[in-house]
Each structure stands twice: as C-alpha cells, then as structure tokens.
Amino acid sequence: MRALIILTLLAVLVMAATCYESHESMESHEYLNPFINRRRANDFIQADSRLEAITRERIRERSKAPHESQREICESYYPCELYAFRHGYAAAYRHYFGRRRTK
C-alpha cells in the first residue's frame, strides 16, 4: 500500500513537471491567434528564384550574340548549312553572307 502511494505521488510530480505551462508561452501572440495575415506571411518568404531565371533568359533571347544570330541565319539557308557542316558556321556565314556587294 505504501509503495502505491509513493508511486502515485511520483507520477503526480512527473506530470506536474512536464505539463506546466509557463507565462512565456502565454505571452505569445500566437497562443491567442495562431494565424497571421497575408502581408506578414510574405515578409519572411523569399521570392521564387525561378522567376528571376526566366526573366534573365527572356532578356538574353532579345539580345543575342552576333555569332548566334549569324548561325541562325546560316541554318535557315540550306546551302549555307551544308557548307557549315564541312567548314564551320563562321566560315559558312562569311562565304554566303559576308561579302555583300552593293551596286
């Protein structure tokens, strides 16, 4: 009987120690209202980096390097493309489009 009383008191002490709620947890605003508004939620979320990468890619598409635009021109003209397979795109562009004569 004595062991049962001691065991019960020990269980009550363990429960009191682990289930005690301090004032610090009650002072938190999240205790009363766990949800925050949308503006505050966006304060700590970083912008999606994929959107920045897509934007940079679109800018690069608008301003291409000269050799890339020359290659596209050469690819659209079949004889130039065949010449490029043998000698390279730079030489093919010079051969077909580099010597433009104006009369």
Side-chain angles (χ1 to χ4, degrees), residues 59-103:
I59 290 170
R60 269 186 259 137
E61 283 178 2
R62 279 187 248 141
S63 58
K64 293 182 181 176
H67 65 277
E68 189 175 349
S69 60
Q70 290 173 358
R71 181 181 177 134
E72 287 179 359
I73 292 169
C74 189
E75 284 176 347
S76 63
Y77 185 58
Y78 187 68
C80 182
E81 189 175 17
L82 289 177
Y83 192 88
F85 286 141
R86 208 168 221 169
H87 303 286
Y89 280 100
Y93 184 83
R94 279 193 309 272
H95 180 74
Y96 284 99
F97 303 105
R99 294 177 287 171
R100 298 258 170 147
R101 294 183 185 159
T102 56
K103 288 187 180 181

Side-chain angles (χ1 to χ4, degrees), residues 8-22 25:
T8 306
L9 286 175
L10 185 62
V12 168
L13 286 174
V14 168
M15 188 176 66
T18 57
C19 296
Y20 174 73
E21 189 147 346
S22 67
S25 64

Side-chain angles (χ1 to χ4, degrees), residues 22-68:
S22 67
H23 288 290
E24 293 171 356
S25 64
M26 295 292 241
E27 290 174 357
S28 175
H29 299 289
E30 296 162 357
Y31 179 75
L32 299 174
N33 187 8
F35 303 106
I36 59 176
N37 64 14
R38 290 179 183 161
R39 289 183 183 168
R40 286 200 50 220
N42 288 334
D43 288 346
F44 62 89
I45 296 175
Q46 297 295 325
D48 195 3
S49 61
R50 288 179 294 157
L51 294 176
E52 292 177 19
I54 290 170
T55 305
R56 278 188 254 119
E57 181 66 27
R58 296 293 178 250
I59 290 170
R60 269 186 259 137
E61 283 178 2
R62 279 187 248 141
S63 58
K64 293 182 181 176
H67 65 277
E68 189 175 349

